[in-house]
Amino acid sequence: MDQTLRELYQDIILDHSRHPRHFGALPGASHVAEGHNPLCGDKVKIYLLVDANRRITDVSFEGKGCAISVASASLMTELLKGRTVEEAEGLMGGFLHLVRGESAQTLEEDDRERLEVMAGVSAFPMRVKCATLAWHAMKAALEGERTARTE
Amino acid sequence: MRPFEGGGEMIREVTRANVTYADAPMRFEAGTPPIVEAVGLAAALDYLDAVGRERIDAHELALARNATRRLKEVNGIRIIGEAADKGPIISFEAIGIHAHDLATILDREGVAVRGGHHCAQPLMERFSVSGTARASFALYNTAAEVDALIAAVGEARRVFG
């Protein structure tokens, strides 16, 4: 297997796809949105519990899709918990840079290191939308939209 | 029916006050017809006849049968569609690997397949699968390319376990 493939399907990504974190519905969620990629059939539903200080106190997701989209959603839930809405948007901005192969200087070093495992997708333009689906759904949820599409 | 576009060869007569159009089909074929394409199609048909349709059929089916038999020997591969007289095309699922992940790995290994629901979502539902990979064989494919397909599917199996 060549190097670019190895970077795409790193062990940590395969692990997240096989054992997704925070998987399932979140009863009492304050914000919910579904991301749908009609061309590939991937679907992901993001649940957020945002408190009065605009802090994400809990998060979960459910859905099905390829290894990249499930791993990306799982990784996102790990990073979002405890962040403010503004911080979540900042993370998304940095993540979008990473998966497009651009520099993500706006991210804190810790966050960048954790999200960088997804950067291998930048070598596969067809798969970038798999990685971004959950993030678009998260943003839609925070903005009160019910659905997000990557097509 | 009125012409849907204007151009050469679709006119009968034009005056300052009036216009009449050529009869169908000319009135719908404005401009230069696809002459090069027609010549190319004829050359392609001559080529197929020179090789022989039956030989092409036999070659493609032999590749597809060989590939089907060997795919079944790889762990966790499910062939979808095994009609006795089917054409030289194989839809398959690698259990536990999404079709797009499989297609990406095969692509990097130099094997082009179509991956996904093939614009046939109800059929995917019928077979309880989110998508399949689909390999097809033509007269220019070789036995070595079947080897490459089998090796690449084995590689995907190693990555995903």
Side-chain angles (χ1 to χ4, degrees), chain A residues 64-94:
Chain A
K64 57 179 188 172
C66 63
I68 307 299
S69 71
V70 173
S72 181
S74 172
L75 189 67
M76 180 186 82
T77 60
E78 279 198 327
L79 270 94
L80 284 183
K81 213 164 171 176
R83 307 294 177 120
T84 65
V85 168
E86 287 69 28
E87 286 167 347
E89 284 164 355
L91 280 175
M92 178 175 174

mmCIF file of all heavy atoms in Angstrom, chain A residues 64-94:
data_model
loop_
_atom_site.group_PDB
_atom_site.id
_atom_site.type_symbol
_atom_site.label_atom_id
_atom_site.label_comp_id
_atom_site.label_asym_id
_atom_site.label_seq_id
_atom_site.Cartn_x
_atom_site.Cartn_y
_atom_site.Cartn_z
ATOM 1 N N LYS A 64 -24.510 6.605 9.342
ATOM 2 C CA LYS A 64 -23.676 5.586 8.714
ATOM 3 C C LYS A 64 -22.984 6.187 7.500
ATOM 4 O O LYS A 64 -23.463 7.147 6.903
ATOM 5 C CB LYS A 64 -24.503 4.362 8.326
ATOM 6 C CG LYS A 64 -25.661 4.677 7.416
ATOM 7 C CD LYS A 64 -26.410 3.409 7.068
ATOM 8 C CE LYS A 64 -27.460 3.707 6.000
ATOM 9 N NZ LYS A 64 -28.106 2.514 5.484
ATOM 10 N N GLY A 65 -21.876 5.598 7.185
ATOM 11 C CA GLY A 65 -21.115 6.105 6.058
ATOM 12 C C GLY A 65 -19.788 5.395 5.958
ATOM 13 O O GLY A 65 -19.573 4.371 6.610
ATOM 14 N N CYS A 66 -18.913 5.958 5.163
ATOM 15 C CA CYS A 66 -17.615 5.340 4.963
ATOM 16 C C CYS A 66 -16.736 5.571 6.189
ATOM 17 O O CYS A 66 -17.095 6.315 7.106
ATOM 18 C CB CYS A 66 -16.957 5.929 3.722
ATOM 19 S SG CYS A 66 -16.609 7.688 3.870
ATOM 20 N N ALA A 67 -15.589 4.935 6.204
ATOM 21 C CA ALA A 67 -14.675 5.037 7.342
ATOM 22 C C ALA A 67 -14.267 6.488 7.593
ATOM 23 O O ALA A 67 -14.167 6.923 8.746
ATOM 24 C CB ALA A 67 -13.431 4.180 7.092
ATOM 25 N N ILE A 68 -14.071 7.247 6.521
ATOM 26 C CA ILE A 68 -13.621 8.629 6.668
ATOM 27 C C ILE A 68 -14.696 9.476 7.341
ATOM 28 O O ILE A 68 -14.417 10.255 8.255
ATOM 29 C CB ILE A 68 -13.278 9.251 5.282
ATOM 30 C CG1 ILE A 68 -12.283 8.370 4.520
ATOM 31 C CG2 ILE A 68 -12.758 10.670 5.428
ATOM 32 C CD1 ILE A 68 -10.972 8.168 5.190
ATOM 33 N N SER A 69 -15.949 9.327 6.905
ATOM 34 C CA SER A 69 -16.993 10.191 7.462
ATOM 35 C C SER A 69 -17.317 9.815 8.907
ATOM 36 O O SER A 69 -17.534 10.696 9.746
ATOM 37 C CB SER A 69 -18.249 10.188 6.584
ATOM 38 O OG SER A 69 -18.931 8.963 6.653
ATOM 39 N N VAL A 70 -17.308 8.519 9.218
ATOM 40 C CA VAL A 70 -17.600 8.102 10.598
ATOM 41 C C VAL A 70 -16.453 8.516 11.526
ATOM 42 O O VAL A 70 -16.678 9.060 12.616
ATOM 43 C CB VAL A 70 -17.840 6.574 10.677
ATOM 44 C CG1 VAL A 70 -17.966 6.128 12.124
ATOM 45 C CG2 VAL A 70 -19.095 6.194 9.896
ATOM 46 N N ALA A 71 -15.208 8.308 11.078
ATOM 47 C CA ALA A 71 -14.057 8.669 11.908
ATOM 48 C C ALA A 71 -14.019 10.177 12.143
ATOM 49 O O ALA A 71 -13.730 10.648 13.249
ATOM 50 C CB ALA A 71 -12.760 8.206 11.240
ATOM 51 N N SER A 72 -14.338 10.942 11.103
ATOM 52 C CA SER A 72 -14.307 12.388 11.232
ATOM 53 C C SER A 72 -15.352 12.871 12.242
ATOM 54 O O SER A 72 -15.081 13.741 13.083
ATOM 55 C CB SER A 72 -14.545 13.044 9.863
ATOM 56 O OG SER A 72 -14.502 14.437 9.982
ATOM 57 N N ALA A 73 -16.556 12.282 12.164
ATOM 58 C CA ALA A 73 -17.623 12.650 13.102
ATOM 59 C C ALA A 73 -17.217 12.290 14.527
ATOM 60 O O ALA A 73 -17.396 13.075 15.468
ATOM 61 C CB ALA A 73 -18.927 11.944 12.715
ATOM 62 N N SER A 74 -16.659 11.105 14.693
ATOM 63 C CA SER A 74 -16.257 10.630 16.020
ATOM 64 C C SER A 74 -15.182 11.535 16.616
ATOM 65 O O SER A 74 -15.267 11.970 17.770
ATOM 66 C CB SER A 74 -15.757 9.190 15.898
ATOM 67 O OG SER A 74 -15.194 8.751 17.103
ATOM 68 N N LEU A 75 -14.180 11.841 15.791
ATOM 69 C CA LEU A 75 -13.082 12.705 16.244
ATOM 70 C C LEU A 75 -13.620 14.092 16.612
ATOM 71 O O LEU A 75 -13.223 14.703 17.613
ATOM 72 C CB LEU A 75 -12.055 12.817 15.108
ATOM 73 C CG LEU A 75 -10.725 13.483 15.405
ATOM 74 C CD1 LEU A 75 -9.925 12.645 16.384
ATOM 75 C CD2 LEU A 75 -9.927 13.654 14.112
ATOM 76 N N MET A 76 -14.563 14.579 15.811
ATOM 77 C CA MET A 76 -15.142 15.898 16.068
ATOM 78 C C MET A 76 -15.835 15.925 17.431
ATOM 79 O O MET A 76 -15.658 16.888 18.191
ATOM 80 C CB MET A 76 -16.146 16.245 14.962
ATOM 81 C CG MET A 76 -16.803 17.605 15.142
ATOM 82 S SD MET A 76 -18.094 17.898 13.925
ATOM 83 C CE MET A 76 -19.459 17.006 14.677
ATOM 84 N N THR A 77 -16.581 14.879 17.752
ATOM 85 C CA THR A 77 -17.296 14.890 19.038
ATOM 86 C C THR A 77 -16.300 14.930 20.202
ATOM 87 O O THR A 77 -16.555 15.557 21.221
ATOM 88 C CB THR A 77 -18.212 13.652 19.202
ATOM 89 O OG1 THR A 77 -17.421 12.462 19.143
ATOM 90 C CG2 THR A 77 -19.287 13.613 18.148
ATOM 91 N N GLU A 78 -15.158 14.260 20.027
ATOM 92 C CA GLU A 78 -14.147 14.280 21.088
ATOM 93 C C GLU A 78 -13.633 15.691 21.331
ATOM 94 O O GLU A 78 -13.339 16.070 22.456
ATOM 95 C CB GLU A 78 -12.972 13.374 20.712
ATOM 96 C CG GLU A 78 -13.224 11.905 20.976
ATOM 97 C CD GLU A 78 -11.928 11.108 21.022
ATOM 98 O OE1 GLU A 78 -10.994 11.473 20.289
ATOM 99 O OE2 GLU A 78 -11.864 10.139 21.793
ATOM 100 N N LEU A 79 -13.479 16.453 20.234
ATOM 101 C CA LEU A 79 -12.905 17.786 20.385
ATOM 102 C C LEU A 79 -13.913 18.837 20.839
ATOM 103 O O LEU A 79 -13.545 19.841 21.431
ATOM 104 C CB LEU A 79 -12.257 18.236 19.063
ATOM 105 C CG LEU A 79 -10.783 17.839 18.973
ATOM 106 C CD1 LEU A 79 -10.619 16.521 18.262
ATOM 107 C CD2 LEU A 79 -9.972 18.931 18.332
ATOM 108 N N LEU A 80 -15.197 18.603 20.529
ATOM 109 C CA LEU A 80 -16.194 19.660 20.765
ATOM 110 C C LEU A 80 -16.608 19.790 22.228
ATOM 111 O O LEU A 80 -16.964 20.879 22.683
ATOM 112 C CB LEU A 80 -17.452 19.394 19.934
ATOM 113 C CG LEU A 80 -17.372 19.714 18.442
ATOM 114 C CD1 LEU A 80 -18.737 19.468 17.805
ATOM 115 C CD2 LEU A 80 -16.924 21.149 18.204
ATOM 116 N N LYS A 81 -16.583 18.680 22.927
ATOM 117 C CA LYS A 81 -17.119 18.681 24.283
ATOM 118 C C LYS A 81 -16.386 19.695 25.159
ATOM 119 O O LYS A 81 -15.162 19.682 25.257
ATOM 120 C CB LYS A 81 -16.998 17.278 24.888
ATOM 121 C CG LYS A 81 -18.114 16.929 25.827
ATOM 122 C CD LYS A 81 -18.170 15.438 26.079
ATOM 123 C CE LYS A 81 -19.152 15.140 27.199
ATOM 124 N NZ LYS A 81 -19.303 13.707 27.410
ATOM 125 N N GLY A 82 -17.155 20.612 25.777
ATOM 126 C CA GLY A 82 -16.565 21.616 26.661
ATOM 127 C C GLY A 82 -16.196 22.918 25.971
ATOM 128 O O GLY A 82 -15.800 23.878 26.631
ATOM 129 N N ARG A 83 -16.329 22.968 24.642
ATOM 130 C CA ARG A 83 -15.969 24.198 23.924
ATOM 131 C C ARG A 83 -17.154 25.153 23.855
ATOM 132 O O ARG A 83 -18.316 24.721 23.890
ATOM 133 C CB ARG A 83 -15.549 23.877 22.479
ATOM 134 C CG ARG A 83 -14.478 22.848 22.343
ATOM 135 C CD ARG A 83 -13.158 23.328 22.907
ATOM 136 N NE ARG A 83 -12.184 22.251 22.798
ATOM 137 C CZ ARG A 83 -11.062 22.368 22.095
ATOM 138 N NH1 ARG A 83 -10.743 23.478 21.488
ATOM 139 N NH2 ARG A 83 -10.229 21.348 22.048
ATOM 140 N N THR A 84 -16.856 26.442 23.688
ATOM 141 C CA THR A 84 -17.927 27.390 23.409
ATOM 142 C C THR A 84 -18.292 27.285 21.934
ATOM 143 O O THR A 84 -17.548 26.690 21.140
ATOM 144 C CB THR A 84 -17.481 28.840 23.681
ATOM 145 O OG1 THR A 84 -16.440 29.161 22.756
ATOM 146 C CG2 THR A 84 -16.976 29.006 25.112
ATOM 147 N N VAL A 85 -19.434 27.857 21.593
ATOM 148 C CA VAL A 85 -19.885 27.851 20.197
ATOM 149 C C VAL A 85 -18.837 28.509 19.302
ATOM 150 O O VAL A 85 -18.534 28.020 18.207
ATOM 151 C CB VAL A 85 -21.246 28.581 20.091
ATOM 152 C CG1 VAL A 85 -21.608 28.854 18.644
ATOM 153 C CG2 VAL A 85 -22.332 27.756 20.787
ATOM 154 N N GLU A 86 -18.256 29.626 19.780
ATOM 155 C CA GLU A 86 -17.239 30.323 18.982
ATOM 156 C C GLU A 86 -16.010 29.436 18.771
ATOM 157 O O GLU A 86 -15.435 29.383 17.678
ATOM 158 C CB GLU A 86 -16.829 31.638 19.648
ATOM 159 C CG GLU A 86 -17.876 32.748 19.564
ATOM 160 C CD GLU A 86 -19.122 32.451 20.413
ATOM 161 O OE1 GLU A 86 -19.012 31.728 21.430
ATOM 162 O OE2 GLU A 86 -20.221 32.917 20.021
ATOM 163 N N GLU A 87 -15.612 28.747 19.834
ATOM 164 C CA GLU A 87 -14.454 27.843 19.706
ATOM 165 C C GLU A 87 -14.743 26.718 18.715
ATOM 166 O O GLU A 87 -13.874 26.318 17.933
ATOM 167 C CB GLU A 87 -14.083 27.259 21.078
ATOM 168 C CG GLU A 87 -13.402 28.257 21.997
ATOM 169 C CD GLU A 87 -13.310 27.781 23.447
ATOM 170 O OE1 GLU A 87 -13.981 26.779 23.810
ATOM 171 O OE2 GLU A 87 -12.569 28.408 24.214
ATOM 172 N N ALA A 88 -15.983 26.216 18.745
ATOM 173 C CA ALA A 88 -16.367 25.139 17.822
ATOM 174 C C ALA A 88 -16.255 25.614 16.385
ATOM 175 O O ALA A 88 -15.762 24.894 15.503
ATOM 176 C CB ALA A 88 -17.791 24.671 18.118
ATOM 177 N N GLU A 89 -16.690 26.854 16.142
ATOM 178 C CA GLU A 89 -16.606 27.396 14.780
ATOM 179 C C GLU A 89 -15.154 27.574 14.351
ATOM 180 O O GLU A 89 -14.793 27.353 13.201
ATOM 181 C CB GLU A 89 -17.386 28.714 14.692
ATOM 182 C CG GLU A 89 -18.886 28.456 14.655
ATOM 183 C CD GLU A 89 -19.745 29.690 14.941
ATOM 184 O OE1 GLU A 89 -19.166 30.752 15.271
ATOM 185 O OE2 GLU A 89 -20.980 29.569 14.846
ATOM 186 N N GLY A 90 -14.319 27.982 15.314
ATOM 187 C CA GLY A 90 -12.888 28.123 15.026
ATOM 188 C C GLY A 90 -12.248 26.783 14.677
ATOM 189 O O GLY A 90 -11.448 26.691 13.751
ATOM 190 N N LEU A 91 -12.646 25.751 15.438
ATOM 191 C CA LEU A 91 -12.135 24.406 15.144
ATOM 192 C C LEU A 91 -12.514 23.980 13.735
ATOM 193 O O LEU A 91 -11.703 23.436 12.990
ATOM 194 C CB LEU A 91 -12.720 23.391 16.136
ATOM 195 C CG LEU A 91 -12.095 23.297 17.527
ATOM 196 C CD1 LEU A 91 -12.904 22.331 18.382
ATOM 197 C CD2 LEU A 91 -10.640 22.841 17.439
ATOM 198 N N MET A 92 -13.772 24.261 13.384
ATOM 199 C CA MET A 92 -14.238 23.861 12.056
ATOM 200 C C MET A 92 -13.441 24.578 10.966
ATOM 201 O O MET A 92 -13.020 23.964 9.988
ATOM 202 C CB MET A 92 -15.723 24.169 11.896
ATOM 203 C CG MET A 92 -16.240 23.824 10.506
ATOM 204 S SD MET A 92 -18.024 24.050 10.393
ATOM 205 C CE MET A 92 -18.289 23.753 8.643
ATOM 206 N N GLY A 93 -13.214 25.875 11.158
ATOM 207 C CA GLY A 93 -12.441 26.638 10.175
ATOM 208 C C GLY A 93 -11.051 26.030 9.979
ATOM 209 O O GLY A 93 -10.601 25.830 8.848
ATOM 210 N N GLY A 94 -10.405 25.711 11.088
ATOM 211 C CA GLY A 94 -9.074 25.110 11.005
ATOM 212 C C GLY A 94 -9.116 23.737 10.363
ATOM 213 O O GLY A 94 -8.262 23.391 9.537
#
